[in-house]
Amino acid sequence: MTRYLFRRLFLMAFVFLALSLLAFSLSYLFPGDIVQNISGLRQIDEAQRQQLVSYYQLEHNVLAQYLAFLQRIAHGDWGLSFASQQPLLQEIKLLLPATLELAAYALLLSFIVGIPLGIIAAFKPHNLIGKSISALALVGYSLPIFWWGLLLIMLFSLALGWLPSAGRIGVLYEIPHHSGFILYDILQADVKYRIEALHNALQHLLLPTVVLATFPTTVMIRFVRDAMLNVWEQNYIKTARAKGLSRGQVLYRHGLRNALLPVIRQIGLQFSTLITLAMLTEVIFSWPGIGRWLIDSIYQRNYPAIQAGLLVISTLVIAVNMLTEILHALFNPLARRG
Amino acid sequence: MNLFTRHCGSSINSAALICACLWLCGCQPQMPETVRSGLVYCSEGSPESFNPQLVTSGTTIDIISQQLYDRLVDIDPDTGSIVAGLASSWQVSADGTHYQFTLRDKVSFHSSSYFTPSRPFTAEDVAFTFNRITDPLHPFHLQGGGIYPYFQSVDWASLVKQVQAVDDHTVVFKLQRPDSSFLSNLTTDFAAILSAEYGAQLLSQGQPGQIDRLPIGTGPFRFREYQKDILVRLYRNNNYWRGNTQPEQLVFDIVPNNARRMAKLFTHECDIVSYPRVAELELIAKRDDVTVQESTSMNVGFWAFNTQKPPFDQLAVRQALGMAINRAAIMQAVYYGHATPAYGILPPTSWAYNEGLPAPVYSPARARALLAEAGYPNGFSMDIWAMPVQRLYNPNALKMAELMQADLAQIGIKANIVSYEWNSFRQKLGNYEHDSVLIGWAADNPDPDNFFRPLLSCAARDSGSNRANWCDPAFDEIISNALLTADQQQRRALYLSAQQYLHQQQPLVAIAHSQRFQAISSSVSGVNINPYGGIALQQARRVTP
């Protein structure tokens, strides 16, 4: 296991190296003035420029500039946003939890819904239930998320008026910012209307979560179904059945454990898609997360923000990928050898 | 539909907890007072600053001005007359250069987490506020760039000699010359009164910049928080001197997208929506949970020619262009019938309106004849600059420009439509790089002068805000004379002749006076729209059905 971990970490170091090189080169590739692109300052006078050039080591060679860049990233000096002239790291810290929260609930929902449905579909592959689950999974898989989100807003917000159409919580509820995770913040908040606020926040969460969960759920259903069908054909299942274990016992003790192993790995692989979809969902529902911010930044040609956003999101995706790989290896001794 | 059932179906085993909670709580949640009586106003943009002195944008004024601040004097929105505000009474000297205001007692500034006032509002605060604009040595003068756009447009610095606090309750404004629009200027949303004590506190803390970011005023609401591009939260000022503020909380939800703002109104996430698109008014009118308030607004949309550039320096050409435009089509396609055609730049609601102005003529044949007379029988090529933003007086300048392009083609003129991003657009206009421009003006106060001096005077040309690049000493004399007298009959006569003169000279073609609209949830009452400026939400309240 130690060797495996070591090997993984070594690989990760290379990935990060490549990522940081890409992020570093962006400042040079973006149009405009390099000092502005790095610092994010809009108006730079001559004296300030001199100071910045030496701070960013711009008079030295590229290697020195790259090392200076790494140092700044490590120290949390990520420059300013063109649009707001606020430190980028601070902005990201405020926004990232909203995205993580949405993605986490959607992922959770996709497990809770996808795994049982996948198992059912695997058990009854030929009858109506199994077939309709598979069909639905296929349709859900190919749904354009933008259209689906708007459709749900039309139905539940505009036509029926049951659920709000945008935001994280009704703006009249004032919840102090602690962690940035809205449900946790509400529980931590010292306000009289905690229950109402929680109810309101859940209402706001419902539609975006369902929309974002659609894709991973269908992936989960298909994956669990295939893995289950595969495992069910294995000899040890037949043996267990022959020994007289009931279907339920076999399913729980032998089937599920083995079928779900690849699912763990699947989470890591799906995570990047999930984050991409989360960005779209944030735009549709005006969810104040990092995805909407990044898309706005692209519109505004806010180069420092694009750079920082890419760095954060790619780091996140790589880290989650790595984590699930390691988890997978923990549960599955076979993977450690590979 | 399949998909939908799948989601609902799956919710049964999965999100049952959430559903149950929603259902349970959804029954009849006992809302706390701050939420129940709170109001949400969906705004089309973020405020640029929290100090009205520094801004001109209607979006910002709507959010900050009437809610957070008071003025020395106010306008009665019904009669247009000037009424007492923070000043309970005032006297004007016989020569019109000496204004003495007696201030109201026991008015307190907001106390908040960042400032607690130790004394009530006094004359010192008035002097602090207005000296900031004119006095280069004032510690806050250069804060925020030292630019006070409204006050510069009315030439405030050369008008006001001195603002002096005589005692706690008396303040005197000494003017260089009489100016009959002076009191009107004090009623504008820009003339908000700031706190001198707060200024001193910020100076001693070394954070003078906060004065425009964390506002302290005397208005019906106090500032609570601002999340950029998300919301502005205000709380009720419980010590408001006028008393009787209804909402405990007022939130400005920032939703730049038009369609989304409308959706939020329909889902009751917003109570009040600013500037619904005229095209959508019919859709709104069909719903019974939303009402549309229509109010007269003092504004004019116009087409200004750069009168220094040939061929627009020729009167015949300007007249020909004015006759070539089919206004009926513009009123229909751009304003959707929610505006009155303009005969001159002054709206009919003004007391100085000239009833005698002839209605504009649409006659391509006569326009062609005029062009031939001016030496352009075969027409020419010109640019029409269309402003890139939606404004009340011109909801869609590009569309208007396209219509005009077709009209002008009829008389042999080839028009190119030009547009830039709004800031560079205004900058280039200020340099007079344009041939002609579609733009407009919304009044800040009811005084007719507000339509003449900031738009067409020589001073306005020099400061780059005279869109027609037009400087006519004869016209300037008329409007300056109108300021020197306080006699309304005399002033009226002068403004009538000014309008007549403009009609003859035609430096610009006035197109329409637009109505202002506000879409409001039916459960909210008491929203007042000031025809001369921002929205006032002090009296707004939620009526429980």
Side-chain angles (χ1 to χ4, degrees):
Chain A
M1 191 67 199
T2 334
R3 251 193 79 210
Y4 172 83
L5 266 181
F6 188 73
R7 235 179 25 229
R8 284 281 143 194
L9 287 176
F10 192 65
L11 193 66
M12 194 152 101
F14 271 104
V15 176
F16 276 121
L17 187 71
L19 180 64
S20 65
L21 273 172
L22 176 74
F24 167 71
S25 58
L26 279 180
S27 313
Y28 300 81
L29 298 175
F30 284 138
D33 175 29
I34 173 85
V35 181
Q36 281 195 8
N37 283 350
I38 300 182
S39 66
L41 287 165
R42 266 292 154 101
Q43 245 112 60
I44 302 174
D45 56 43
E46 211 33 57
Q48 209 176 5
R49 178 175 295 273
Q50 289 306 322
Q51 213 178 347
L52 286 173
V53 163
S54 77
Y55 178 63
Y56 296 133
Q57 313 252 345
L58 287 177
E59 72 272 43
H60 297 289
N61 63 15
V62 180
L63 186 67
Q65 292 177 30
Y66 174 64
L67 289 178
F69 166 79
L70 284 186
Q71 240 168 27
R72 286 200 310 277
I73 293 294
H75 283 142
D77 172 17
W78 291 28
L80 302 180
S81 154
F82 272 167
S84 65
Q85 295 290 298
Q86 297 293 312
L88 282 166
L89 191 60
Q90 213 131 332
E91 284 201 350
I92 290 174
K93 268 188 198 157
L94 286 176
L95 295 165
L96 194 59
T99 304
L100 288 181
E101 190 173 32
L102 184 63
Y105 295 141
L107 205 59
L108 196 68
L109 186 65
S110 74
F111 287 152
I112 298 173
V113 179
I115 294 175
L117 285 183
I119 293 170
I120 295 170
F123 262 134
K124 315 258 184 199
H126 299 301
N127 77 1
L128 191 65
I129 301 177
K131 276 189 178 160
S132 47
I133 290 177
S134 299
L136 283 174
L138 186 67
V139 176
Y141 186 78
S142 30
L143 262 187
I145 183 169
F146 221 90
W147 177 82
W148 174 229
L150 290 177
L151 200 73
L152 288 185
I153 291 182
M154 291 264 292
L155 182 65
F156 288 103
S157 305
L158 287 172
L160 296 171
W162 292 353
L163 295 169
S165 66
R168 287 179 96 184
I169 185 164
V171 286
L172 288 171
Y173 295 98
E174 187 183 358
I175 304 297
H177 183 99
H178 284 302
S179 62
F181 295 94
I182 190 82
L183 296 186
Y184 178 79
D185 279 357
I186 291 172
L187 294 174
Q188 287 297 303
D190 185 25
V191 288
K192 276 176 283 176
Y193 41 78
R194 233 184 295 171
I195 300 294
E196 292 84 3
L198 200 62
H199 168 231
N200 191 287
L202 285 173
Q203 275 189 328
H204 278 85
L205 252 175
L206 192 59
L207 280 187
T209 311
V210 167
V211 167
L212 183 54
T214 306
F215 182 82
T217 307
T218 54
V219 170
M220 207 57 80
I221 292 175
R222 288 151 56 102
F223 206 83
V224 169
R225 177 179 172 273
D226 291 353
M228 207 65 195
L229 282 175
N230 193 15
V231 167
W232 216 241
E233 295 299 314
Q234 301 292 321
N235 284 332
Y236 58 85
I237 298 285
K238 289 183 182 143
T239 314
R241 287 283 280 160
K243 280 181 171 173
L245 282 170
S246 75
R247 242 174 113 121
Q249 281 171 314
V250 176
L251 172 76
Y252 182 69
R253 291 198 194 150
H254 303 281
L256 214 50
R257 280 189 80 116
N258 289 308
L260 287 188
L261 259 180
V263 174
I264 297 178
R265 200 170 195 169
Q266 197 63 22
I267 301 170
L269 294 177
Q270 291 301 325
F271 193 74
S272 64
T273 323
L274 189 74
I275 290 292
T276 314
L277 293 177
M279 288 188 189
L280 288 176
T281 314
E282 284 174 12
V283 172
I284 303 169
F285 291 96
S286 309
W287 192 265
I290 196 163
R292 194 168 74 117
W293 176 79
L294 191 60
I295 289 172
D296 282 347
S297 304
I298 292 170
Y299 275 126
Q300 297 162 349
R301 303 210 171 28
N302 189 346
Y303 300 124
I306 298 174
Q307 185 187 28
L310 281 179
L311 200 60
V312 167
I313 290 179
S314 341
T315 308
L316 188 70
V317 169
I318 295 171
V320 169
N321 246 316
M322 224 31 99
L323 207 70
T324 49
E325 288 268 337
I326 291 169
L327 270 180
H328 181 242
L330 259 181
F331 288 119
N332 184 6
L334 283 174
R336 278 175 239 167
R337 251 184 266 143
Chain B
M1 206 56 222
N2 281 342
L3 290 165
F4 170 55
T5 41
R6 183 176 70 73
H7 270 283
C8 267
S10 55
S11 307
I12 293 172
N13 47 13
S14 65
L17 197 75
I18 297 176
C19 281
C21 175
L22 289 180
W23 181 74
L24 278 175
C25 309
C27 274
Q28 196 52 60
Q30 198 53 54
M31 292 284 189
E33 185 60 23
T34 44
V35 177
R36 204 164 51 82
S37 81
L39 286 182
V40 182
Y41 175 103
C42 282
S43 166
E44 71 278 18
S46 293
E48 304 158 60
S49 163
F50 282 92
N51 183 353
Q53 292 175 331
L54 303 176
V55 299
T56 50
S57 115
T59 307
T60 307
I61 288 297
D62 274 340
I63 296 176
I64 61 175
S65 198
Q66 296 277 333
Q67 308 352 308
L68 291 168
Y69 295 99
D70 283 305
R71 291 135 301 278
L72 282 181
V73 279
D74 281 312
I75 301 173
D76 184 326
D78 301 323
T79 62
S81 57
I82 293 169
V83 295
L86 285 178
S88 52
S89 66
W90 59 93
Q91 283 103 37
V92 190
S93 69
D95 64 352
T97 59
H98 190 101
Y99 284 73
Q100 176 170 329
F101 294 88
T102 307
L103 304 181
R104 212 169 276 279
D105 245 351
K106 292 177 189 146
V107 173
S108 61
F109 280 100
H110 301 154
S111 62
S112 74
S113 56
Y114 48 89
F115 173 69
T116 314
S118 67
R119 60 166 178 81
F121 156 74
T122 66
E124 194 196 333
D125 298 309
V126 180
F128 172 82
T129 302
F130 290 101
N131 285 334
R132 173 172 177 185
I133 299 167
T134 48
D135 180 5
L137 297 176
H138 191 281
F140 289 92
H141 178 70
L142 289 175
Q143 202 51 245
I147 292 165
Y148 302 89
Y150 178 74
F151 295 96
Q152 281 164 0
S153 81
V154 296
D155 219 0
W156 185 265
S158 81
L159 173 69
V160 179
K161 201 184 333 177
Q162 198 189 10
V163 182
Q164 192 186 6
V166 177
D167 59 50
D168 272 3
H169 294 107
T170 318
V171 67
V172 171
F173 286 72
K174 287 184 185 143
L175 309 187
Q176 299 281 11
R177 53 177 188 274
D179 183 331
S180 43
S181 70
F182 174 73
L183 273 182
S184 294
N185 285 332
L186 285 184
T187 65
T188 58
D189 289 330
F190 313 104
I193 302 295
L194 313 176
S195 162
E197 191 189 1
Y198 180 48
Q201 177 190 315
L202 288 178
L203 275 185
S204 70
Q205 288 169 350
Q207 296 179 310
Q210 300 292 47
I211 194 162
D212 304 325
R213 275 179 231 129
L214 297 174
I216 289 289
T218 55
F221 296 93
R222 64 189 166 87
F223 178 81
R224 173 72 185 171
E225 64 168 332
Y226 169 45
Q227 299 172 22
K228 190 176 182 304
D229 296 334
I230 299 179
L231 59 81
V232 178
R233 191 188 303 282
L234 309 181
Y235 275 7
R236 178 167 69 196
N237 172 11
N238 288 323
N239 300 320
Y240 188 46
W241 57 275
R242 280 193 178 103
N244 198 28
T245 305
Q246 289 295 327
E248 220 170 271
Q249 200 189 160
L250 180 61
V251 177
F252 291 86
D253 191 357
I254 296 159
V255 190
N257 181 309
N258 265 317
R260 192 151 281 168
R261 223 162 46 235
M262 217 30 71
K264 279 194 154 192
L265 178 72
F266 294 160
T267 57
H268 302 272
E269 288 163 82
C270 298
D271 297 306
I272 305 160
V273 165
S274 60
Y275 304 107
R277 268 193 303 199
V278 188
E280 284 159 350
L281 288 178
E282 290 199 10
L283 180 74
I284 303 172
K286 281 188 198 139
R287 299 182 63 111
D288 51 10
D289 57 345
V290 177
T291 49
V292 176
Q293 268 190 4
E294 181 175 352
S295 61
T296 335
S297 168
M298 298 275 278
N299 63 60
V300 60
F302 55 75
W303 182 27
F305 308 110
N306 188 343
T307 53
Q308 298 297 312
K309 258 193 196 177
F312 309 103
D313 51 347
Q314 293 191 47
L315 177 60
V317 171
R318 299 199 293 264
Q319 282 171 334
L321 292 172
M323 279 180 199
I325 301 306
N326 181 359
R327 284 148 205 267
I330 290 176
M331 299 308 287
Q332 220 18 269
V334 178
Y335 295 94
Y336 295 90
H338 295 288
T340 39
Y343 292 7
I345 56 172
L346 207 58
T349 40
S350 169
W351 54 260
Y353 178 65
N354 189 339
E355 304 264 356
L357 289 180
V361 193
Y362 169 52
S363 166
R366 279 177 62 191
R368 254 193 308 264
L370 276 169
L371 273 188
E373 188 187 306
Y376 295 95
N378 301 318
F380 50 87
S381 160
M382 66 180 286
D383 288 344
I384 300 178
W385 288 34
M387 57 173 194
V389 293
Q390 172 194 353
R391 282 290 183 270
L392 197 55
Y393 45 74
N394 193 339
N396 194 342
L398 272 176
K399 196 170 180 182
M400 193 186 278
E402 282 162 12
L403 290 170
M404 291 170 54
Q405 195 176 30
D407 287 339
L408 291 173
Q410 299 277 320
I411 62 163
I413 292 177
K414 187 183 174 306
N416 311 307
I417 299 174
V418 177
S419 195
Y420 295 97
E421 180 270 324
W422 184 224
N423 279 328
S424 38
F425 188 81
R426 281 190 301 188
Q427 205 176 359
K428 284 170 189 286
L429 278 182
N431 298 335
Y432 302 112
E433 293 174 27
H434 59 292
D435 285 347
S436 74
V437 59
L438 289 175
I439 199 161
W441 177 256
D444 316 294
N445 68 54
D447 198 282
D449 177 60
N450 197 261
F451 275 88
F452 295 104
R453 212 155 38 117
L455 285 181
L456 289 166
S457 66
C458 293
R461 191 188 69 162
D462 297 340
S463 74
S465 60
N466 183 335
R467 301 304 180 211
N469 198 3
W470 190 65
C471 173
D472 187 324
F475 176 75
D476 253 35
E477 198 186 327
I478 303 176
I479 56 173
S480 315
N481 283 340
L483 282 182
L484 293 176
T485 169
D487 176 35
Q488 188 147 342
Q489 280 310 319
Q490 229 176 329
R491 291 191 72 198
R492 183 153 186 273
L494 285 165
Y495 284 127
L496 292 189
S497 63
Q499 286 169 77
Q500 197 61 43
Y501 193 74
L502 281 183
H503 176 71
Q504 283 157 12
Q505 294 296 323
Q506 208 151 100
L508 50 77
V509 173
I511 294 169
H513 308 293
S514 182
Q515 305 285 86
R516 175 171 179 166
F517 294 95
Q518 211 79 243
I520 298 176
S521 162
S522 302
S523 64
V524 173
S525 75
V527 176
N528 295 321
I529 301 172
N530 178 346
Y532 315 107
I535 191 168
L537 296 168
Q538 196 227 338
Q539 297 292 334
R541 72 193 69 197
R542 195 182 293 286
V543 269
T544 26

